[in-house]
Amino acid sequence: MLDHIRIGFIGAGRVGVSLGKYFTEKGRKIGGYYSLSPASAKWAAEFTKSTYYESLQQIISDCDMILFTVPDDTISSVWKEAKPYISEKIIAHCSGLHSSNIFSDIGVTNSFAYSIHPLIAVSSRENSWKELSHALFTIEGDETYLHKITEMFQEMGNRTRIILAENKIKY
């Protein structure tokens, strides 16, 4: 089911670029990147052979799953900006700190919220993707696609652990 979805990235830093390249190398479809820094998004799109998006509305419209790969302290504000364009999407962030509950009022968008966190240091946009095959991914969020997202990572060769939102801070 998740084999054919297009994954878009809001944020073109180390985590977003590394995941995008990793997904591409593992045969997943990525739509591309949107960032407040057009130069970063253009570089990320070129590096991953995907699309540079000029607006939140464009990337959200074009992709089925949206990964918020922005700094932890901006997830909430970027979510508020993106929310008006979101309907029936899989929404996730990669923060080790926040749970999927940071996507407030997700229900009004008929979408599904997740936290997908690789337990590995991501220090380079160009090279860290190579290490992601060794990463354990913790995943929490809505039951609807929780096991499908877990299977997606397992099919790429990753170890996974499903956690509860209230236990996120413990690990």
Side-chain angles (χ1 to χ4, degrees):
M1 151 96 195
L2 296 183
D3 292 339
H4 304 291
I5 66 167
R6 288 174 55 90
I7 304 167
F9 295 86
I10 297 175
R14 293 184 309 249
V15 173
V17 172
S18 296
L19 282 172
K21 183 71 168 176
Y22 181 63
F23 289 165
T24 300
E25 293 295 317
K26 294 290 186 172
R28 301 291 170 189
K29 296 178 185 176
I30 70 164
Y33 293 85
Y34 168 78
S35 176
L36 288 179
S37 166
S40 291
K42 287 175 185 175
W43 184 91
E46 184 176 311
F47 183 67
T48 60
K49 297 176 178 54
S50 63
T51 302
Y52 158 67
Y53 292 94
E54 294 182 14
S55 73
L56 279 172
Q57 188 172 7
Q58 287 176 325
I59 193 168
I60 292 165
S61 174
D62 200 36
C63 297
D64 308 296
M65 179 178 198
I66 307 296
L67 285 177
F68 285 65
T69 53
V70 297
D72 288 359
D73 61 348
T74 63
I75 295 169
S76 184
S77 61
V78 175
W79 166 244
K80 286 176 186 165
E81 189 178 338
K83 190 171 17 175
Y85 309 114
I86 292 176
S87 179
E88 299 179 0
K89 304 286 181 177
I90 297 171
I91 305 298
H93 67 71
C94 297
S95 170
L97 178 62
H98 299 291
S99 75
S100 61
N101 294 330
I102 199 165
F103 296 117
S104 60
D105 298 326
I106 188 85
V108 301
T109 68
N110 294 316
S111 297
F112 310 94
Y114 301 90
S115 169
I116 301 169
H117 181 66
L119 289 173
I120 196 166
V122 179
S123 57
S124 164
R125 286 195 317 169
E126 295 89 359
N127 296 306
S128 289
W129 68 270
K130 298 172 188 173
E131 302 302 318
L132 287 173
S133 62
H134 306 293
L136 166 72
F137 282 82
T138 59
I139 303 165
E140 67 84 12
D142 192 291
E143 284 290 325
T144 304
Y145 292 106
L146 187 62
H147 292 287
K148 293 290 185 189
I149 291 170
T150 301
E151 287 173 14
M152 180 180 87
F153 281 95
Q154 290 171 345
E155 288 169 1
M156 291 188 295
N158 292 100
R159 295 171 295 130
T160 61
R161 170 131 334 138
I162 294 174
I163 61 173
L164 299 173
E166 55 267 19
N167 293 335
K168 177 95 186 209
I169 198 74
K170 293 179 183 176
Y171 85 91

